[in-house]
Amino acid sequence: MIYVQLFLAFFIPNIVGYGGGPAIIPLIEAEVVGRYGWMNAQEFAEVLGLGNALPSPIATKMAGYVGYEVAGAGGAVVAVLATVVPTLLLMLGALGLLYRYRDSPRVKRMSQWVRPVIAIMMAGMVLSFFSEGMAGAGLVHTSIIAAVAAIALFRFKAHPALVVVGALAYGGLLLG
């Protein structure tokens, strides 16, 4: 039964999510944290942070990690297959259709309407992570990490992986 749950937990977000990894992360969080309770929000945020620091698509890394934690190597295989195979099949099917109608105003409008939805979902996830950080580390540490991360990303154009590693180091040294 756990393999079926793992399959569904990663199959559904990857089928209904549009826009790649960042767009489906909130959907995966809803399944892993909300529906099945395999992790709490803090653990999910840590896995997401670590996953973002590593190369390759985030959804497959998340699936592999969660699958392995829940059901070992078999769980990792099931979760990764649930993430990759259905999406690949849908992409191959939809590619011909989208290519045929690529100049259609309807197709162009459809993709323009998806972007704000993704932005709202990402904002909700950021607020959730922020409240978890406030509960765990407190206002001062959360504010310091947020301010330094914002300055590093926007002012100095630092690579996001370096910012994540820096935040992990800060947390490990001062909060551990």
Side-chain angles (χ1 to χ4, degrees):
M1 187 65 175
I2 192 70
Y3 292 122
V4 173
Q5 291 175 337
L6 274 169
F7 182 84
L8 292 175
F10 289 95
F11 175 80
I12 293 169
N14 282 286
I15 289 297
V16 301
Y18 175 81
I24 64 169
I25 296 298
L27 300 174
I28 292 173
E29 181 187 23
E31 296 292 318
V32 170
V33 175
R35 177 175 291 178
Y36 295 109
W38 293 323
M39 295 179 165
N40 62 37
Q42 179 65 34
E43 291 168 331
F44 187 84
E46 291 169 1
V47 170
L48 178 62
L50 181 61
N52 276 326
L54 300 171
S56 77
I58 187 67
T60 54
K61 290 182 285 193
M62 297 291 291
Y65 181 84
V66 172
Y68 186 80
E69 286 294 313
V70 171
V77 169
V78 167
V80 170
L81 287 176
T83 300
V84 175
V85 173
T87 305
L88 178 64
L89 294 176
L90 281 174
M91 287 294 295
L92 291 174
L95 185 61
L97 188 63
L98 286 175
Y99 186 74
R100 184 182 310 157
Y101 296 107
R102 69 182 177 272
D103 296 325
S104 166
R106 289 181 181 174
V107 171
K108 290 179 181 178
R109 277 195 308 269
M110 178 184 69
S111 62
Q112 288 176 343
W113 279 100
V114 169
R115 291 180 189 151
V117 172
I118 292 170
I120 290 170
M121 291 173 64
M122 292 297 289
M125 188 175 68
V126 166
L127 288 174
S128 170
F129 287 168
F130 183 77
S131 66
E132 286 290 323
M134 292 291 291
L139 175 64
V140 173
H141 292 295
T142 302
S143 298
I144 290 170
I145 291 172
V148 170
I151 291 168
L153 290 169
F154 297 116
R155 172 93 170 134
F156 297 108
K157 307 291 186 216
H159 192 280
L162 295 176
V163 175
V164 169
V165 169
L168 289 171
Y170 177 89
L173 294 174
L174 298 175
L175 301 175

